[in-house]
Amino acid sequence: MTQELTSPTRARQAPAPDRGPQWWRDAVIYQVYVRSFADSDGDGIGDLRGVRRRLPYLKSLGVDAVWLTPFYASPQADGGYDVADYRAVDPLFGSLQDADDLIRTAHEAGLRVIVDIVPNHTSDRHPWFMDPDLARERYVFRPGKGARGELPPNDWESVFGGPAWTRTDRGDWYLHLFAPEQPDLDWDNPEVHAEFAAIMRFWLDLGVDGFRIDVAHGMVKAPGLPDIGRGRQATLIGTQALPFFDQDGVHAIHRSWRRLLDSYPGDRIGVAEAWAPTAARLALYVRPDELHQAFNFQFLNAPWDAAPLRDVIDDSLAATASVGAPTTWVLSNHDVVRHTTRLGGGLDRARAATLLMLALPGSAYLYQGEELGLPEVTDLPDEVRQDPAFFRGGRPTGAAGPGTDTETAPDGLAGASGQDGFRDGCRVPLPWSGERPPYGFGAGGSWLPQPADWDALTVEAQTGDPASTLELYRTALRLRRELPGLGDGRMSWRPAPEGVLAFARSGVLCTVNTLGRTAELPLPGRVLLSSAPVPVTGSTALLPGDSCTWWAI
Ligand code: GLC
Ligand code: MG
């Protein structure tokens, strides 16, 4: 039976899973990068039907919700973050019916669905931008400088490299904080506000449980679009001094979206992809009348070292507590080097970092494939790359945050692991089964080549093996559900030797050895779960280097 999609009715939807009103406070949310998750039609590109078929896998993993990266009609100049029609599904990924089916089936399985919304910019193929009159009103156009207007209006640089301005053949310039194919909208225009509210209603009516808001810190620019000063942008990008990020004006927009979300039943949420210079600035996005969550990139960027990790955790908890919001934790996403590689300690360290994250109070975001322990793919040939930053020299890219800090990130990252800082290496399609590429991803290859040694990392190969990373994730997520002390709530630090972190949740102690060698600890209790086997001699636990253990206390 086919159903009319133009006017979806809430009655027809499977109701969203009920895990209490504030389900999001400690939800584990799994990021599906649609293009690379599962391909149903053999074109080598993951799609919505592929995701739907694999929902049982996500259910068995034990996550609460799925966040889908953009699947809207798009020329794909930036992996779909260049949207030409916010109410249409790109044929690459399926149809609106497929989206509807996916949301419904997910709800039936007890999984919530969050979709991406991209309000800072559209595609240059969006009908508004294609119409010169509309474009001038709804995007950021300025005359150029110089005698004939031949110079950009100011010195801002694109996150992907090169100037943030492109001149049209009509002679004026438009702003694009990202690729030239992603013109920035003018949020001073009320029609822009109205349109995004309508787009959100469209997806909320279709049943989505919330939005991940792309570049949530970018929509408002400082009045007069002031120059930054030549060469200063790269050093300032992690601070609040930039005139195009984290301007106070963005908060009024988030407040209006909160009202919209609250007007729907079922605890729909907004999560901000906001890069703010401090945890305190980030907390402003999750004040009670703003969004529900914000990604904690401070945690993602923390080095694997006990003292700074502890500082970041304290800072994050204090900042969000000051506004009554839960903290979120994230280690990997589609913009950064996978944490198996980024932390510089291979799988041992990645597994330990994950158990640390999942023991902390609040909500956690997982990025597809981390549960398989996938490393960053660092040897992609140039001819298969798609990251626009690669072609514009904006190394490294990432989400306009520290990952884009050309002063610090590339050296720190490249030094640790030899990765190149571009984003295709974390977007290689998932290995599901079998001995050879595309490892069950689909019937027709994969849009980026998969390494020849991923046969040992497939879902099939890891399922049922208690030593596998997949089973570690499954057990951790199951314990998070079963043990009342984990998830939302409090934690308190406990004494631990140098290089080791120990904190208690109700009934659970979490120990993390960040050192590269064994650390000794008085035996705290019974092991619930550990990223590596923990030998015990007498009343002493020998915590292996780069390990994390959950103890029943
Ligand atoms: C966000 C996305 C990133 C994209 C950028 C521009 O940072 O996560 O993938 O390139 O926004 O939309
Ligand atoms: Mg496909």
Side-chain angles (χ1 to χ4, degrees):
M1 187 179 89
T2 59
Q3 284 164 332
E4 179 59 50
L5 267 170
T6 46
S7 57
T9 59
R10 285 181 211 154
R12 185 174 57 70
Q13 294 163 21
D18 186 11
R19 281 197 58 220
Q22 298 213 312
W23 66 273
W24 42 274
R25 288 191 67 92
D26 57 7
V28 176
I29 302 180
Y30 183 99
Q31 178 187 358
V32 168
Y33 192 74
V34 176
R35 166 181 288 267
S36 303
F37 189 68
D39 174 24
S40 73
D41 59 1
D43 66 352
I45 295 177
D47 43 48
L48 296 178
R49 286 182 183 217
V51 180
R52 183 163 172 246
R53 282 185 198 166
R54 296 292 187 178
L55 286 173
Y57 168 73
L58 296 177
K59 187 67 190 164
S60 82
L61 184 59
V63 300
D64 300 298
V66 178
W67 148 35
L68 303 168
T69 53
F71 48 79
Y72 315 113
S74 162
Q76 307 292 327
D78 180 22
Y81 283 95
D82 50 318
V83 182
D85 183 347
Y86 290 83
R87 294 175 183 80
V89 173
D90 197 286
L92 270 182
F93 302 124
S95 65
L96 204 51
Q97 183 68 57
D98 294 332
D100 190 57
D101 289 344
L102 171 54
I103 296 163
R104 187 169 22 81
T105 312
H107 284 174
E108 283 164 4
L111 294 164
R112 299 193 184 244
V113 179
I114 290 168
V115 295
D116 229 300
I117 188 146
V118 188
N120 180 70
H121 44 265
T122 71
S123 162
D124 62 346
R125 304 283 99 189
H126 190 284
W128 285 5
F129 196 76
M130 305 272 282
D131 175 329
D133 296 324
L134 281 184
R136 217 166 274 117
E137 290 167 13
R138 296 177 184 177
Y139 295 82
V140 184
F141 276 85
R142 291 290 184 277
K145 287 188 174 157
R148 290 171 306 283
E150 74 281 10
L151 299 171
N154 70 20
D155 64 0
W156 297 359
E157 288 160 34
S158 151
V159 167
F160 293 155
W165 297 89
T166 289
R167 197 176 195 187
T168 69
D169 47 18
R170 303 183 298 274
D172 49 3
W173 296 75
Y174 67 90
L175 177 68
H176 51 86
L177 295 181
F178 295 88
E181 297 88 351
Q182 293 167 296
D184 277 50
L185 286 160
D186 182 356
W187 279 85
D188 286 337
N189 185 329
E191 284 157 320
V192 173
H193 291 249
E195 173 65 359
F196 274 87
I199 293 164
M200 285 181 163
R201 284 184 191 287
F202 178 87
W203 290 102
L204 289 167
D205 287 341
L206 214 56
V208 302
D209 298 286
F211 300 98
R212 177 266 190 189
I213 296 160
D214 188 64
V215 198
H217 57 313
M219 285 92 76
V220 173
K221 280 76 181 177
L225 312 185
D227 277 335
I228 293 170
R230 278 230 160 276
R232 290 183 65 227
Q233 183 168 321
T235 52
L236 290 179
I237 199 143
T239 80
Q240 61 186 308
L242 285 176
F244 49 76
F245 283 151
D246 196 33
Q247 295 288 310
D248 291 336
V250 295
H251 296 290
I253 300 171
H254 296 312
R255 278 194 283 273
S256 74
W257 289 345
R258 178 58 179 259
R259 288 192 295 273
L260 177 59
L261 290 164
D262 283 350
S263 73
Y264 279 78
D267 295 291
R268 323 277 178 121
I269 68 164
V271 49
E273 186 225 15
W275 294 81
T278 62
R281 287 289 301 178
L282 187 65
L284 300 179
Y285 291 81
V286 290
R287 286 176 286 190
D289 59 346
E290 295 200 29
L291 301 174
H292 300 72
Q293 296 183 334
F295 292 113
N296 185 351
F297 296 124
Q298 242 107 17
F299 179 69
L300 184 149
N301 278 304
W304 182 249
D305 189 356
L309 270 173
R310 181 174 166 153
D311 288 346
V312 166
I313 291 166
D314 281 340
D315 222 29
S316 310
L317 290 170
T320 50
S322 73
V323 294
T327 308
T328 67
W329 310 101
V330 60
L331 288 165
S332 284
N333 67 35
H334 67 296
D335 290 326
V336 300
V337 172
R338 283 185 176 280
H339 70 276
T340 297
T341 303
R342 191 188 67 243
L343 294 175
L347 200 50
D348 289 349
R349 196 172 281 182
R351 288 162 56 104
T354 297
L355 286 198
L356 161 63
M357 168 171 82
L358 293 174
L360 291 168
S363 168
Y365 278 81
L366 307 181
Y367 175 52
Q368 66 178 42
E370 68 169 80
E371 77 278 21
L372 304 176
L374 296 188
E376 185 81 358
V377 178
T378 53
D379 58 356
L380 288 172
D382 289 353
E383 57 278 13
V384 303
R385 288 175 188 274
Q386 309 236 348
D387 183 353
F390 178 75
F391 304 99
R392 293 177 56 81
R395 169 180 173 273
T397 61
T404 64
D405 181 342
T406 45
E407 285 301 299
T408 57
D411 297 339
L413 295 180
S417 49
Q419 66 244 358
D420 64 15
F422 295 106
R423 299 177 299 175
D424 292 313
C426 65
R427 299 175 177 180
V428 172
L430 290 195
W432 290 93
S433 59
E435 308 293 317
R436 276 177 303 280
Y439 302 113
F441 169 68
S446 63
W447 68 278
L448 284 173
Q450 299 157 305
D453 58 358
W454 276 14
D455 55 330
L457 297 178
T458 64
V459 170
E460 181 182 54
Q462 296 194 43
T463 295
D465 173 359
S468 72
T469 301
L470 176 56
E471 295 300 345
L472 180 74
Y473 272 73
R474 283 190 175 135
T475 307
L477 295 178
R478 180 172 55 74
L479 288 175
R480 244 182 96 100
R481 276 173 188 267
E482 287 172 6
L483 299 173
L486 294 177
D488 203 14
R490 295 169 179 282
M491 63 170 275
S492 53
W493 294 108
R494 292 294 158 86
E498 180 99 20
V500 175
L501 295 173
F503 59 91
R505 310 290 318 269
S506 156
V508 179
L509 183 83
C510 176
T511 57
V512 188
N513 181 4
T514 65
L515 305 170
R517 56 176 191 280
T518 302
E520 295 189 2
L521 197 78
L523 189 62
R526 177 175 58 86
V527 173
L528 286 165
L529 182 64
S530 187
S531 65
V534 187
V536 173
T537 59
S539 57
T540 303
L542 303 176
L543 307 176
D546 287 336
S547 71
C548 176
T549 307
W550 296 358
W551 307 85
I553 51 170

